[in-house]
């Protein structure tokens, strides 16, 4: 039987995950806008939508839940969440999820 304290803790956890996901969207938005709407001659990078957005949303939610578990003093789940966050970050770096369109990256002397 669930107590009222467990229900409050679960609600706080859901709210933390939601806020972390929203922070991930806020971090993704500048890169996503540039990547989706193109730069020079309308070049786009659709990977920012189907790779970048999920990675940052999952990363934000995982980071918020890791902080919540550390605050609650539950070290084993926090270490598991930090390991998951490291895996998400490694995936993000491997696939360069915050990559801008190529025209923005290689703009040399004519710009």
């Amino acid at each position: 039987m669930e107590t009222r304290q467990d229900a409050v803790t679960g609600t706080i956890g859901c709210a933390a995950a939601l806020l972390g996901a929203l922070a991930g969207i806020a971090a993704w938005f500048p890169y996503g806008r540039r990547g989706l709407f193109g730069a020079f001659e309308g070049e786009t990078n659709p990977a920012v939508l189907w790779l970048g957005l999920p990675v940052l949303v999952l990363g934000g939610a995982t980071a918020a839940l890791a902080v919540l578990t550390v605050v609650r003093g539950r070290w084993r789940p926090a270490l598991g969440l930090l390991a998951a966050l490291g895996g998400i970050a490694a995936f993000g770096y491997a696939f360069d999820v915050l990559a801008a369109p190529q025209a923005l990256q290689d703009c040399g002397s004519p710009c």
Side-chain angles (χ1 to χ4, degrees), residues 81-93:
L81 285 167
L82 288 175
L85 186 60
I88 292 169
F91 179 84
Y93 284 119

Side-chain angles (χ1 to χ4, degrees), residues 24-99:
I25 290 171
W28 170 84
F29 188 73
Y31 298 99
R33 186 173 43 92
R34 276 193 319 209
L36 290 177
F37 298 121
F40 182 69
E41 294 182 356
E43 180 184 353
T44 62
N45 184 5
V48 297
L49 182 62
W50 56 272
L51 276 177
L53 184 61
V55 165
L56 286 173
V57 168
L58 287 174
T62 304
L65 289 175
V67 168
L68 182 65
T69 56
V70 166
V71 167
R72 290 187 61 216
R74 303 191 61 199
W75 298 106
R76 269 197 194 155
L79 288 176
L81 285 167
L82 288 175
L85 186 60
I88 292 169
F91 179 84
Y93 284 119
F95 287 98
D96 201 15
V97 297
L98 293 179

